[in-house]
Amino acid sequence: VTHAELLERMHALALSLQDKTVSALERVDGAGTFGRDEWQRPGGGGGLARVLSGGAVFEKAGVNVSRVDGALSPALAAKLPGQGDRFAAVGLSLVLHPLSPMVPTAHANIRLLARGEKAWFGGGADLTPYYLFDEDASHFHRTLKAACDRYQPGCHRRFKDACDAYFFLRHRGEHRGVGGIFFEDLGGDPSRELAFVEDVGRSFLEAYLPIVERRRHLSWGEAERTWQEIRRGRYVEFNLLFDRGTVFGLETGGRTESILMSLPPRVRFVYDHRPEPGSAEARLLEVVRRPRDWA
Amino acid sequence: VTHAELLERMHALALSLQDKTVSALERVDGAGTFGRDEWQRPGGGGGLARVLSGGAVFEKAGVNVSRVDGALSPALAAKLPGQGDRFAAVGLSLVLHPLSPMVPTAHANIRLLARGEKAWFGGGADLTPYYLFDEDASHFHRTLKAACDRYQPGCHRRFKDACDAYFFLRHRGEHRGVGGIFFEDLGGDPSRELAFVEDVGRSFLEAYLPIVERRRHLSWGEAERTWQEIRRGRYVEFNLLFDRGTVFGLETGGRTESILMSLPPRVRFVYDHRPEPGSAEARLLEVVRRPRDWA
């Protein structure tokens, strides 16, 4: 297949998954609905942002598709694989910030990049709980592992380790959450890889929505909310200091509001906050400092 | 003077200014007091963090001194002037986040860096209002201009323009606030430059505290608070995406809590927020998009 065909198929897949995901999330939320913002990129391409704010379950949720192409800046050209000064990228990216601190934040992304002779898929999904239920982390990881096993037995370990390595705040010695999978430039057959990213996109809902249903009715108060807002601060730190997708999007002139929909709706930055030893909050810190094998 | 002497004099100055600034801010606040956290850097040096949280006027305020030295990573060595693989740095950095949206956030910093044969001063101060009073912006700029004029007539224009250029969120097309001054590597006589950064450090309080007194008793409600928290989001974006001091501190293994005390205490990230045309909020946006000559 040519790059043009692959980009076209990936775009169709991203739009179809966006539709299905938005519908599923609106059903779960029961109150909020997603807006619909189409945008054009001056340098080439554009996207469709679907964002929900102030829902019953989701305080802020974004499910975005973009398809962009154009010239690479020299700075960006130095960072990307492949040759040549033009690129094309198609991606679906979603970030879900629940209102309840008992429901984890979740993220998933699938993407196809092309530059010169080279085209490569990437993607991943990860879970960021504020209060940790081991069975939730296991369910999330096992569901993603099943998709990995369907693609290539044995690859899950690699993709899980890559996720732990990627979602890492080195100035904190903390990972963003309990991880998931992360992969890039698989170097195999493009049609099989397209099928894999489709499977990841579908599996994400299967991995995440049962957790939402299990935890959405748990009670919480001001203390749990404060902890959630402090931990959301780490999400902000990761996305603005380290996330390659955020930097890539902003540097290539993507739509700022679509890219930064990933930032949590309300956040606290508290100086030198330390949870009580032995508390649920302290236990979460231990887990984000030392990744576990959850599958 | 040798670098060692210069670093020593700068350190004494930074600690003395820290003391005076903390005392002045506690008097103005009337309720909160600054904590005192000494820290050591594993690679060499350390610092003294003075942070106030939950005051009557200041929701969060940090006045930090650090004095560090050690080996430069190759990545950082490529970004810094001078030669050699070791560096030393002494700095005073303060960020003040008032509770009231009617009182602007303010920042100031003075620093001395040394690498190999080269040692250079830098620093600046800037003002970030949420509601703009023209006379406040003028007072702030004129007070800093007076310090610049005492150092070198004509330099204020350069330092003001450098401030506008530095505190710029290019993905937003917005400056961080109404600016101030910013300077680095002045290339003159070290003793005169030390006197200049001392003058900047002293002038900062003279530039800022009268604004606090004028605005602290103005009334405000939920709408003004929401706008303040949204604009604080831009402060977070700037500091984590662009601020060289933040990146330098984190990359050289500085104390994370001291460096990130600059982040505002409570923040909102609202998707595609647009103020009412003609409102005070819209007027602020116009001003941060097109810097003015306030002095």
Side-chain angles (χ1 to χ4, degrees), chain B residues 238-254:
Chain B
F238 180 82
N239 284 14
L240 298 182
L241 286 170
F242 300 115
D243 187 58
R244 296 203 293 259
T246 301
V247 171
F248 179 84
L250 295 176
E251 285 191 5
T252 54

Side-chain angles (χ1 to χ4, degrees), chain A residues 3-287:
Chain A
H3 287 184
E5 285 163 356
L6 211 53
L7 289 162
E8 190 58 37
R9 283 164 65 188
M10 181 67 178
H11 191 221
L13 164 62
L15 288 171
S16 154
L17 274 173
Q18 182 185 39
D19 255 0
K20 287 178 185 124
T21 304
V22 159
S23 300
L25 294 173
E26 284 183 346
R27 269 196 307 277
V28 166
D29 193 85
T33 54
F34 282 80
R36 188 184 176 91
D37 293 319
E38 283 190 74
W39 54 276
Q40 305 291 319
R41 179 172 166 276
L48 175 59
R50 307 288 319 260
V51 178
L52 174 158
S53 296
V57 170
F58 299 106
E59 192 175 349
K60 187 177 179 186
V63 185
N64 292 346
V65 169
S66 66
R67 178 179 186 168
V68 301
D69 62 87
L72 280 174
S73 69
L76 211 56
K79 284 188 227 168
L80 277 190
Q83 300 288 328
D85 58 3
R86 297 190 63 80
F87 78 104
V90 177
L92 167 72
S93 191
L94 68 89
V95 179
L96 312 176
H97 289 291
L99 179 64
S100 164
M102 313 315 281
V103 183
T105 285
H107 154 261
N109 166 250
I110 55 174
R111 57 188 179 271
L112 171 63
L113 271 89
R115 180 187 181 192
E117 301 295 297
K118 190 169 169 63
W120 66 102
F121 287 93
D126 74 302
L127 192 72
T128 308
Y130 304 97
Y131 288 90
L132 177 63
F133 300 91
D134 289 8
E135 63 185 288
D136 294 353
S138 291
H139 168 78
F140 189 80
H141 278 271
R142 284 181 189 140
T143 309
L144 294 173
K145 180 175 186 299
C148 292
D149 289 347
R150 287 190 288 273
Y151 167 65
Q152 190 184 85
C155 74
H156 174 259
R157 163 58 47 197
R158 251 173 28 246
F159 297 170
K160 192 271 185 194
D161 290 346
C163 187
D164 288 333
Y166 180 75
F167 292 107
F168 182 60
L169 292 86
R170 56 176 187 267
H171 60 295
R172 300 278 189 191
E174 294 176 11
H175 298 264
R176 187 164 81 170
V178 297
I181 58 171
F182 183 89
F183 54 92
E184 187 143 53
D185 198 1
L186 301 173
D189 171 62
S191 294
R192 285 201 65 230
E193 293 182 12
L194 185 69
F196 174 53
V197 299
E198 177 167 11
D199 199 359
V200 168
R202 287 177 197 284
S203 300
F204 170 77
L205 289 178
E206 202 188 315
Y208 180 60
L209 292 185
I211 299 171
V212 175
E213 293 301 341
R214 280 206 288 260
R215 308 303 167 198
R216 63 186 287 185
H217 298 297
L218 293 179
S219 65
W220 52 275
E222 191 55 30
E224 291 78 18
R225 176 69 179 181
T226 298
W227 174 244
Q228 177 203 44
E229 291 186 5
I230 291 170
R231 293 303 303 171
R232 282 173 167 180
R234 302 292 210 270
Y235 213 86
V236 174
E237 289 176 23
F238 180 82
N239 285 14
L240 298 182
L241 286 171
F242 300 116
D243 188 58
R244 296 204 292 257
T246 301
V247 171
F248 179 84
L250 295 176
E251 285 191 4
T252 54
R255 178 173 176 257
T256 295
E257 289 296 337
S258 297
I259 296 162
L260 297 185
M261 69 78 190
S262 68
L263 300 179
R266 302 192 68 169
V267 180
R268 291 182 202 234
F269 295 99
V270 176
Y271 175 72
D272 207 17
H273 178 81
R274 296 165 197 228
E276 285 290 307
S279 64
E281 292 82 3
R283 185 166 169 265
L284 181 81
L285 274 190
E286 283 165 28
V287 171

Side-chain angles (χ1 to χ4, degrees), chain B residues 59-70:
Chain B
E59 192 175 351
K60 187 177 180 186
V63 185
N64 293 344
V65 169
S66 67
R67 177 179 186 169
V68 301
D69 62 88

